Amino acid sequence: MVIYIVTAAFILLDLVTGIIKAFAKKEYSSSIMRQGLFHKTASVVCIVFGLLVDYAQAFLDLGVSIPVAISICTYICTMEIGSIIENLCIINPDFLPAKLREHFQKLMHHE
């Protein structure tokens, strides 16, 4: 249960930092916000899908025997961490020293 709360917290924090970034850059757009909300909703649907697959594994041979929902949550958390770091670096360019930024480069996606 904790993994789902942590995943939701990362999704929410990415949403909040994304909104702050948009206002800081004076680039707030309701259509971009709506697109972001669709992406966040898709992440939640993926988690529900993973929970359904995990539940179904008890009754059906799906050819899968790994915890799918937790794997999806792990991927989403990793993706959100990169996005949050990117947002924070745009909000405050001095947030992450250049040396540390190199280490996080693999997590950060570029626009």
Side-chain angles (χ1 to χ4, degrees), residues 25-36:
K25 292 178 68 178
K26 296 179 174 54
E27 294 179 355
Y28 179 81
S29 165
S30 61
S31 62
I32 292 173
M33 173 77 162
R34 194 169 32 258
Q35 183 181 15

Side-chain angles (χ1 to χ4, degrees), residues 52-110:
L52 181 60
V53 170
D54 288 346
Y55 179 76
Q57 288 182 85
F59 305 102
L60 303 168
D61 180 10
L62 299 175
V64 179
S65 60
I66 61 168
V68 176
I70 291 176
S71 299
I72 291 170
C73 286
T74 301
Y75 173 76
I76 290 171
C77 286
T78 303
M79 182 176 61
E80 298 296 4
I81 288 167
S83 181
I84 292 164
I85 291 169
E86 181 180 25
N87 291 340
L88 291 172
C89 288
I90 291 170
I91 294 166
N92 177 4
D94 298 327
F95 166 71
L96 200 61
K99 196 68 172 168
L100 280 177
R101 192 173 296 193
E102 290 175 23
H103 294 292
F104 284 108
Q105 200 66 34
K106 291 179 184 176
L107 292 177
M108 296 171 63
H109 61 290
H110 299 283

